[in-house]
Amino acid sequence: VYCQMTIDRGPAATVLHFSTRLELLFTASESSGKVFVWDINTGERRMLVKLHECGIRGLVELKRLRSKANFLVSAAIDGNLVVWDLAVVQPSTEEIKDPDFRPEDHILATVNAHEYGVYCMAYIPGYELLVSAGGCRPKEKHTAYIYIWNCDEGSRTVLTPHRGTRYLIGHECQVLSLLALPAEDQLLSIDILGHVRIWDLKTLTCRQHLAFPNELGNRIPKDARQALASVPAVEPLTKG
């Protein structure tokens, strides 16, 4: 165990992200649009920033190698992705004393990404891509898109729609979890009905489609790695 902290202020934390470079823990809640920043060395709250007007479902950190800039991206059920400059989490003494200092002033972009909310994200280092997924249009199949965003140094803004394939199509209902496996050039996604799709990151196409046996019922793990590990000898339903 690296450290143990007890967070006793604010709403119950349901979303976590730990920055190894900054040695900071970011927590958020599905009932609040606020992100708490904690110093893991002291256990003290470093900062509080309001990024959304509704509950937050995901936090990821983007790292740019050349500029060494770090950004926090939050996803919420309002369908927005918000990009926050992490340089602000280590403000100078003068900035802290400034009565007009507001962490919210360091929001770099707010992107309306999904019509029916964002439920999960994944950052793919090496490819410099961010993927986000959420709900689908009622009674319309294959509208639970997985959107692809460029976040490399050449992007005009921190997040821009992918220059080629803008989204992945295949899921017929709400996508619950995404897991990037850049070493295998794969992205895993799982939806609320238990369908898992394995995507090729080089071609951005679906390589395999798996489904849970009926006896598992509604016991659907939210994490894609756990999902695959818990499927005993399931044969692919389709390829592509």
Side-chain angles (χ1 to χ4, degrees):
V1 177
Y2 182 73
C3 70
Q4 179 173 322
M5 294 173 56
T6 301
I7 300 173
D8 57 1
R9 285 178 286 178
T14 55
V15 181
L16 302 174
H17 173 73
F18 175 58
S19 173
T20 54
R21 190 182 74 83
L22 300 174
E23 295 190 337
L24 294 173
L25 176 67
F26 299 87
T27 66
S29 168
E30 294 182 3
S31 63
S32 167
K34 298 176 181 178
V35 174
F36 293 78
V37 185
W38 305 89
D39 187 323
I40 65 166
N41 295 305
T42 64
E44 295 296 319
R45 191 177 80 185
R46 177 78 65 84
M47 194 171 292
L48 170 65
V49 57
K50 185 175 182 179
L51 298 181
H52 298 269
E53 295 296 332
C54 59
I56 294 175
R57 297 298 300 263
L59 297 171
V60 298
E61 184 179 358
L62 306 183
K63 304 174 184 178
R64 286 187 168 174
L65 299 179
R66 282 186 295 176
S67 63
K68 297 185 178 180
N70 284 52
F71 310 99
L72 186 74
V73 181
S74 59
I77 56 177
D78 59 6
N80 290 335
L81 300 175
V82 174
V83 183
W84 188 46
D85 189 352
L86 288 181
V88 73
V89 299
Q90 295 176 319
S92 65
T93 304
E94 291 74 18
E95 286 180 304
I96 295 176
K97 291 181 178 179
D98 185 349
D100 296 325
F101 174 74
R102 295 178 67 253
E104 291 80 4
D105 292 339
H106 294 262
I107 293 175
L108 300 179
T110 299
V111 180
N112 187 254
H114 294 263
E115 185 177 0
Y116 292 95
V118 188
Y119 289 89
C120 53
M121 294 183 295
Y123 174 56
I124 309 173
Y127 286 85
E128 300 304 312
L129 296 176
L130 178 78
V131 289
S132 61
C136 61
R137 296 172 188 157
K139 300 181 180 180
E140 290 189 34
K141 290 186 176 181
H142 302 292
T143 57
Y145 302 142
I146 300 173
Y147 281 85
I148 309 171
W149 308 89
N150 284 107
C151 46
D152 56 8
E153 301 275 358
S155 301
R156 285 189 301 106
T157 58
V158 179
L159 288 182
T160 57
H162 190 261
R163 301 176 185 94
T165 305
R166 298 189 63 174
Y167 48 79
L168 306 176
I169 302 176
H171 287 283
E172 297 185 5
C173 56
Q174 176 184 321
V175 178
L176 288 178
S177 184
L178 295 166
L179 178 67
L181 302 174
E184 287 80 23
D185 299 309
Q186 293 178 350
L187 172 72
L188 278 60
S189 58
I190 181 172
D191 63 34
I192 199 169
L193 293 180
H195 291 267
V196 176
R197 287 185 176 270
I198 304 174
W199 307 88
D200 188 322
L201 290 174
K202 291 182 177 180
T203 62
L204 295 178
T205 56
C206 184
R207 294 178 56 182
Q208 203 167 30
H209 174 200
L210 306 171
F212 286 99
N214 292 331
E215 61 265 28
L216 286 182
N218 294 322
R219 296 171 54 196
I220 301 172
K222 291 186 177 181
D223 183 88
R225 188 191 296 274
Q226 180 185 354
L228 285 183
S230 65
V231 179
V234 178
E235 294 295 327
L237 299 180
T238 61
K239 290 188 177 181

